Amino acid sequence: MTPLITLTTDFGAGSPYVAAMKGAILQVNPAVQLLDLSHRLPPQDLRACSFFLRTAIPYFPAGPLHVIVVDPGVGTDRSLLYIEAGPHRLLAPDNGCWTELASTVQGSLKLITLAERRFWRAAVSATFHGRDILAPVAGHLSLGVKPEQLGPPAKQWVELKLPEHRSNDSLIEGEILFIDEFGNLLTNIPADVYQNCRSRIKEVLVGGEAVGIQALTYGEAPSGELIILVSSSGMMEIAQVQGSAARRLGAGVGMPIHIYL
Amino acid sequence: MTPLITLTTDFGAGSPYVAAMKGAILQVNPAVQLLDLSHRLPPQDLRACSFFLRTAIPYFPAGPLHVIVVDPGVGTDRSLLYIEAGPHRLLAPDNGCWTELASTVQGSLKLITLAERRFWRAAVSATFHGRDILAPVAGHLSLGVKPEQLGPPAKQWVELKLPEHRSNDSLIEGEILFIDEFGNLLTNIPADVYQNCRSRIKEVLVGGEAVGIQALTYGEAPSGELIILVSSSGMMEIAQVQGSAARRLGAGVGMPIHIYL
Amino acid sequence: MTPLITLTTDFGAGSPYVAAMKGAILQVNPAVQLLDLSHRLPPQDLRACSFFLRTAIPYFPAGPLHVIVVDPGVGTDRSLLYIEAGPHRLLAPDNGCWTELASTVQGSLKLITLAERRFWRAAVSATFHGRDILAPVAGHLSLGVKPEQLGPPAKQWVELKLPEHRSNDSLIEGEILFIDEFGNLLTNIPADVYQNCRSRIKEVLVGGEAVGIQALTYGEAPSGELIILVSSSGMMEIAQVQGSAARRLGAGVGMPIHIYL
């Protein structure tokens, strides 16, 4: 079967850097299949990248190699890693961009620090390790190079500090983690926390504004209403029926959510 | 030949939902080839989706399976369909999103309602049937599952009401159907209606502003001029040479077009 | 090995025209592999296209066929070309969109004017030669048609006039060529010109504002600082650490750069 390499970056959807990375992979293995996951992650936003990978990668089978380039520290002494997280294989900077994926997958972790320059491009720029290191390493892996040939095992990895929800008998406090392109607000309150208290909710405030309707899906309430539901990624979500909750509430990442019980 | 599955959604170009769908297809058939058509359809806009499919799908050969997810009714009792429209095969919500394609293709229609849960993901969310039903069903079809195994035939399908042009001896009235990324205005006036009256046109008004020049292609008039031409999709089109007619005219979908004869 | 065709256009990321081109290629050769490079080049901007191709194509191996559609002259008497530039093969309008690529690749040029209509779609529209000529020709090439069958050799090609930097003992003058999605400013001052004078620089002005710090990579200066560095594409670049230099400086393509020595 043709090996598959996926690409996830913050380069922008039409960036020449994405195209150059594709070329650099094909330069090593012209027979590989390439698959775009996203090139529109918010620039240098590690939290958004972590959310993205947690939402997408668990649905993939074992097999593909996922190349991740959100890399504000490019050219500094941050490491580049080969990662096996359960059945999933990644190449990514060691900056925490895969933190949530690590906590959702079953099975052990394997980490290798990319160090063997013979699998890199001959000339490595200071500002584009995606093209000059990750892309050729991905190509070599797809040709059968063993991860252990890429460098020494890494004993630890940089973990992202993510905002956690807090709760007591009368209040659950969380915040907005991610806003999708429909303007739906994904929170850091897990589905089970929300569902366990559903029947006892007195009021839900999003940045101070009350959201009244609890629903199972978008089509359950009249057009324009704000609703609370469980997102397809397993979190509490705020949405506006046939509209954008983000625009309606002027919401941004980090805006607080209060559930009064 | 490697089976090919195309993806058309309104999820946004960088959405984790697109990536999750790709994973969910590959989960079922890791050997399939995936092809993005668009992920930037206007959110929940069935008319734009219908225009898109009419403009794109007829150019494809028989063979690919086209998965369409513009689904404002997700989780309600709307059906999901397997569709054979002439040589083309689609998976889509039964919400009219393929209405114009149905009228442009030759040959008979075959419709199956997706009902057999054994071809779905084990856990089906209330808000993301693209990932949980359409993606795995697409994977199974690419492995050789017969459409008839997916569920019972559908006897009817939801048809979109589309604005039709009206004409009499002295006036043709239409409206803007779609605005492309150049700002060209695609109308609902068919090419032959426009061409048959070309020599008799006294005035063309777009939202009240006169457009004077009839051209065959963009390069025929001076830069900045508004022109009328036949679009590559077979409709009357308004464009600005080396500019955006949409911006120039402040035009939006639904704006009226009047051709006075 | 499956033949590979890449696509680079200014149609917009979600355009039905991109999808129609993909269909028209597969119509001729259903077994080809398609790869998006970019569909977000600035509309009808030949200089941006030239920069894009120079930045991306040299990283590709020989083998893929690159189809380029930035075509403000569609339907006029401009030619369409098959191009061999060193190891790279392109199909593109003869409007200079590949000018910089021509100067960066080693080896000879081969140019063929597309003239043989039997390799085109039966009906050729006046406004969409990407779908009606370039796409089917790409399909036929991927099936083994020889370039010489497509039409007669072209003896010359349209070259884009690009702004060149000027320098004397006390001043180097250049301008901004391209702004990437991070807001980094790529200039027309080659890396070696900048590096050779680095130690003698008294002041660098970008549109009148001084940029003080010379760095090797983005992480070397404090967040928010403006820095000068060598871009991964081999030009002098202005960036803001963890920010957008374009926004900070209100910069646009063509803005002057002055290096006082």
Side-chain angles (χ1 to χ4, degrees), chain B residues 133-192:
Chain B
I133 302 179
L134 296 179
V137 165
H140 284 293
L141 284 167
S142 75
L143 286 171
V145 164
K146 300 282 168 243
E148 287 71 17
Q149 296 176 259
L150 301 172
K155 299 205 179 103
Q156 50 193 23
W157 55 284
V158 174
E159 202 164 343
L160 214 59
K161 284 207 181 73
L162 292 161
E164 299 205 13
H165 76 284
R166 291 179 297 181
S167 62
N168 60 39
D169 283 353
S170 61
L171 176 64
I172 300 170
E173 285 181 281
E175 63 181 74
I176 297 173
L177 265 195
F178 187 85
I179 300 178
D180 73 20
E181 309 234 8
F182 299 98
N184 300 326
L185 313 176
L186 288 307
T187 76
N188 67 341
I189 300 172
D192 59 344

Side-chain angles (χ1 to χ4, degrees), chain B residues 33-44:
Chain B
Q33 196 178 337
L34 298 173
L35 184 66
D36 294 308
L37 295 195
S38 175
H39 300 293
R40 283 169 55 97
L41 293 178
Q44 311 188 334

Side-chain angles (χ1 to χ4, degrees), chain A residues 25-246:
Chain A
I25 293 172
L26 293 167
Q27 188 80 251
V28 174
N29 183 2
V32 82
Q33 197 178 337
L34 298 174
L35 184 66
D36 293 309
L37 295 195
S38 175
H39 299 293
R40 283 170 54 97
L41 292 179
Q44 312 189 332
D45 187 334
L46 298 172
R47 276 177 55 178
C49 183
S50 175
F51 181 90
F52 181 95
L53 295 177
R54 193 261 312 257
T55 306
I57 302 299
Y59 296 94
F60 278 81
L65 176 66
H66 304 289
V67 179
I68 319 298
V69 195
V70 178
D71 194 11
V74 62
T76 64
D77 60 0
R78 68 96 188 80
S79 301
L80 293 167
L81 294 176
Y82 168 84
I83 300 162
E84 283 183 23
H88 306 296
R89 300 184 304 140
L90 284 72
L91 288 174
D94 184 20
N95 56 19
C97 67
W98 60 292
T99 297
E100 289 168 272
L101 180 65
S103 66
T104 57
V105 296
Q106 307 293 322
S108 59
L109 287 183
K110 179 198 276 191
L111 301 173
I112 303 280
T113 302
L114 304 190
E116 284 293 336
R117 297 183 69 100
R118 68 196 150 116
F119 300 112
W120 305 0
R121 285 181 62 83
V124 173
S125 69
T127 57
F128 195 0
H129 290 182
R131 180 193 67 196
D132 298 336
I133 303 179
L134 296 179
V137 165
H140 285 292
L141 284 167
S142 75
L143 286 170
V145 165
K146 300 286 168 235
E148 287 71 17
Q149 296 176 257
L150 301 172
K155 297 204 179 104
Q156 51 193 23
W157 55 284
V158 173
E159 203 165 341
L160 213 60
K161 283 207 182 73
L162 292 161
E164 299 205 13
H165 75 283
R166 291 179 297 179
S167 63
N168 60 37
D169 283 354
S170 61
L171 176 64
I172 300 170
E173 284 182 280
E175 63 180 74
I176 297 173
L177 265 194
F178 186 85
I179 300 177
D180 73 19
E181 308 234 10
F182 298 100
N184 300 326
L185 313 176
L186 288 307
T187 76
N188 67 343
I189 300 172
D192 59 344
V193 170
Y194 161 64
Q195 284 169 319
N196 288 342
C197 75
R198 262 187 85 160
S199 60
R200 294 186 294 129
I201 292 177
K202 289 184 181 144
E203 187 167 38
V204 174
L205 295 183
V206 180
E209 182 151 347
V211 177
I213 301 172
Q214 299 184 29
L216 282 178
T217 189
Y218 307 111
E220 273 184 4
S223 181
E225 292 291 334
L226 289 170
I227 59 175
I228 307 167
L229 71 173
V230 170
S231 82
S232 60
S233 53
M235 311 302 281
M236 176 178 159
E237 172 179 337
I238 313 293
Q240 186 185 28
V241 179
Q242 296 182 334
S244 163

Side-chain angles (χ1 to χ4, degrees), chain C residues 108-187:
Chain C
S108 60
L109 286 182
K110 179 198 274 192
L111 301 173
I112 303 280
T113 301
L114 304 190
E116 283 294 336
R117 297 183 68 100
R118 69 196 149 116
F119 299 113
W120 305 0
R121 285 183 63 83
V124 173
S125 69
T127 57
F128 194 1
H129 290 181
R131 178 192 69 195
D132 298 336
I133 303 178
L134 296 180
V137 165
H140 284 293
L141 283 168
S142 75
L143 286 170
V145 164
K146 301 284 168 240
E148 287 71 17
Q149 296 177 260
L150 302 172
K155 296 201 182 109
Q156 49 194 23
W157 55 284
V158 173
E159 202 165 342
L160 214 58
K161 283 206 183 73
L162 292 161
E164 299 205 14
H165 75 283
R166 291 179 297 178
S167 61
N168 60 38
D169 283 352
S170 60
L171 176 64
I172 300 170
E173 284 182 282
E175 63 180 74
I176 297 174
L177 264 194
F178 186 84
I179 300 178
D180 72 20
E181 308 235 8
F182 299 99
N184 300 325
L185 314 176
L186 287 307
T187 75

